[in-house]
Amino acid sequence: MQFFDLKKQHQNLKLEIDAAISRVLESGVFIGGPEVEDFEKEAADFFGVKHAIGLNSGTDALVLSLRALGIGAGDEVIVPALTYFATAEAVAAVGATPVFCDIDSATLNIDTKEIERKINSKTKAIIPVHFYGRAADMAAIVKIAKGYDLFVVEDAAQAAGAQCGGKFCGTIGDVGCFSLFPTKNLGAFGDGGFVLTDRVDLAQRIRLLRAHGAKPEDKYNHLVLGMNSRLDAIQAATVRVKLRHLDEFNQKRIANAARYNKNLEGAGDIVLPGIGGDLSCIFHQYTIRTGRRDELAKFLKENRIPTMVYYPVALHLQPGFAYLGYKIGDFPEAERAVREILSLPIYPELLLSDQDEIVRAVRGFWNK
Ligand SMILES: *Cc1c(COP(=O)(O)O)cnc(C)c1O
């Protein structure tokens, strides 16, 4: 058993993917071009926004969004203390300061009751992360942002296809950032990313920034300083195929999560992730909590059940952010979560028999 099984997904999609890749190979166009334009058009249609822009990674999606919004040195951006490193690293990469905010213990998303306390005259934006594929409380976040005239940059890298109040995550703030890293729930066969926005000014600016500040039709006339963050045609072609299956993949993840919840109920001190309700989840990860996390992970490993901890260290305590001067105890909920969380395999192709084996092993830990 594996934690991710991208081979199984590929076997199911092989005919479609092979056709897409050979179309690119025969076209002779490998960076940008019609395949990327078609992906952008289809992604904009799928998510219901005016603009989708293909980029080199989810990290670049965050960096270029912040740059397009004019955020830089002297500015502060509010980020949850529990997320992947890149969310806050992108803030630092544009010269601004990440300001961490604790998480809500029930959703593991940014605690909207804590946000206002972090706002001052330097604050320019909030980056809510739809962590594990669970929508952050966008209604509350947008309300706060409006009240203080802040931008909202959604980090939807783990939440392609998740919804919040009837809208897709990544389409509610000023700009939404997505990763196409292979293990994301919408993944390519290499690095990739994209942004969604309804704002034409941001779309134009991000298009310039991704190609060294030049327009495609006048590519040696560099209007501003940008970088290379173009999307490969092969990645665009494969993601066009996967986008057509995204809904079906997400439904399978949700069904797997529901089955785990039903079968793991009442095991030891286990806390199961919520399903349904206002803030929905597409289960990019299925993550349980227990006070005996390390023992459980060790026991499962001995029983050849793969698990992961996303993530083992809260961001304010990462060595890379030591210069910000945070200390242990600053964000108690994030610090408690990193000790208790454990993700179990949840990919769409997970066999029921494998899931049953995982459930038996988890229950077996408390029955031994
Ligand atoms: C994966 C991820 C990113 C970064 O995406 P890359 O494509 O790996 O650069 C950013 N934020 C979150 C929450 C992620 O999970």
Side-chain angles (χ1 to χ4, degrees):
M1 209 187 302
Q2 290 179 285
F3 190 79
F4 299 110
D5 199 338
L6 294 173
K7 282 192 206 153
K8 268 190 201 146
Q9 187 182 73
H10 184 58
Q11 277 154 19
N12 294 341
L13 301 180
K14 190 170 167 27
L15 289 177
E16 287 172 86
I17 297 277
D18 284 355
I21 290 179
S22 68
R23 192 171 65 230
V24 174
L25 298 186
E26 276 156 30
S27 77
V29 179
F30 300 110
I31 307 280
E35 208 64 60
V36 171
E37 285 163 22
D38 286 347
F39 162 67
E40 291 177 342
K41 210 174 148 296
E42 289 164 11
D45 283 351
F46 180 93
F47 291 102
V49 291
K50 296 208 179 88
H51 312 279
I53 302 149
L55 301 169
N56 215 291
S57 68
T59 305
D60 282 1
L62 290 159
V63 169
L64 294 187
S65 296
L66 294 167
R67 282 193 61 186
L69 288 165
I71 292 168
D75 296 334
E76 294 186 357
V77 177
I78 297 171
V79 177
L82 178 61
T83 169
Y84 181 52
F85 191 71
T87 312
E89 188 187 30
V91 174
V94 302
T97 303
V99 172
F100 296 115
C101 182
D102 210 354
I103 55 161
D104 172 70
S105 65
T107 62
L108 299 180
N109 276 325
I110 193 163
D111 185 346
T112 55
K113 296 187 299 303
E114 291 288 314
I115 293 176
E116 281 189 86
R117 238 176 276 184
K118 310 285 166 191
I119 298 174
N120 62 44
S121 59
K122 292 180 184 167
T123 312
K124 289 285 157 13
I126 306 169
I127 308 186
V129 180
H130 306 292
F131 200 51
Y132 297 151
R134 182 180 304 282
D137 186 350
M138 291 306 292
I141 292 163
V142 167
K143 189 162 171 236
I144 295 167
K146 283 219 170 93
Y148 292 89
D149 204 14
L150 306 177
F151 297 118
V152 177
V153 177
E154 294 177 75
D155 183 340
Q158 302 190 1
Q163 297 205 356
C164 181
K167 293 188 84 179
F168 281 114
C169 292
T171 69
I172 301 162
D174 294 272
V175 51
C177 302
F178 292 80
S179 166
L180 296 171
F181 187 78
T183 58
K184 305 289 178 176
N185 70 307
L186 177 63
F189 293 131
D191 274 314
F194 63 100
V195 299
L196 301 178
T197 184
D198 278 326
R199 284 182 51 178
V200 65
D201 60 326
L202 291 182
Q204 281 170 349
R205 193 146 175 93
I206 292 169
R207 283 183 195 284
L208 276 183
L209 291 171
R210 78 169 166 185
H212 301 294
K215 293 181 176 167
E217 64 275 16
D218 191 11
K219 68 176 187 173
Y220 298 113
N221 186 24
H222 304 276
L223 304 171
V224 293
L225 300 180
M227 60 196 263
N228 166 17
S229 186
R230 298 170 297 225
L231 181 63
D232 294 1
I234 287 185
Q235 306 312 339
T238 57
V239 175
R240 288 179 66 199
V241 173
K242 294 202 191 179
L243 190 59
R244 296 201 281 273
H245 295 276
L246 180 63
D247 203 37
E248 158 203 330
F249 293 155
N250 285 343
Q251 290 310 321
K252 285 185 181 158
R253 288 175 180 275
I254 293 166
N256 286 345
R259 200 161 175 275
Y260 267 133
N261 269 18
K262 180 163 150 271
N263 294 330
L264 288 174
E265 173 91 63
D269 68 341
I270 203 166
V271 178
L272 302 170
I275 292 184
D278 290 345
L279 307 176
S280 70
C281 187
I282 49 89
F283 291 96
H284 184 275
Q285 297 301 343
Y286 177 84
T287 304
I288 61 167
R289 294 180 70 158
T290 162
R292 295 175 66 190
R293 194 270 314 277
D294 290 341
E295 285 169 80
L296 174 62
K298 183 164 171 283
F299 177 83
L300 294 176
K301 191 168 181 214
E302 285 159 8
N303 286 276
R304 294 194 309 279
I305 306 287
T307 63
M308 296 289 275
V309 174
Y310 297 110
Y311 295 91
V313 181
L315 288 198
H316 65 291
L317 300 176
Q318 284 283 0
F321 287 126
Y323 72 97
L324 294 173
Y326 288 98
K327 54 188 191 316
I328 293 173
D330 283 345
F331 302 107
E333 290 300 341
E335 291 169 31
R336 189 162 69 88
V338 300
R339 291 194 298 270
E340 296 183 354
I341 49 180
L342 188 68
S343 300
L344 304 178
I346 188 72
Y347 54 89
E349 300 79 13
L350 181 69
L351 297 175
L352 291 186
S353 55
D354 283 346
Q355 198 189 28
D356 288 341
E357 192 184 329
I358 296 165
V359 167
R360 265 198 306 279
V362 172
R363 287 198 160 275
F365 170 73
W366 275 288
N367 293 335
K368 70 181 179 321

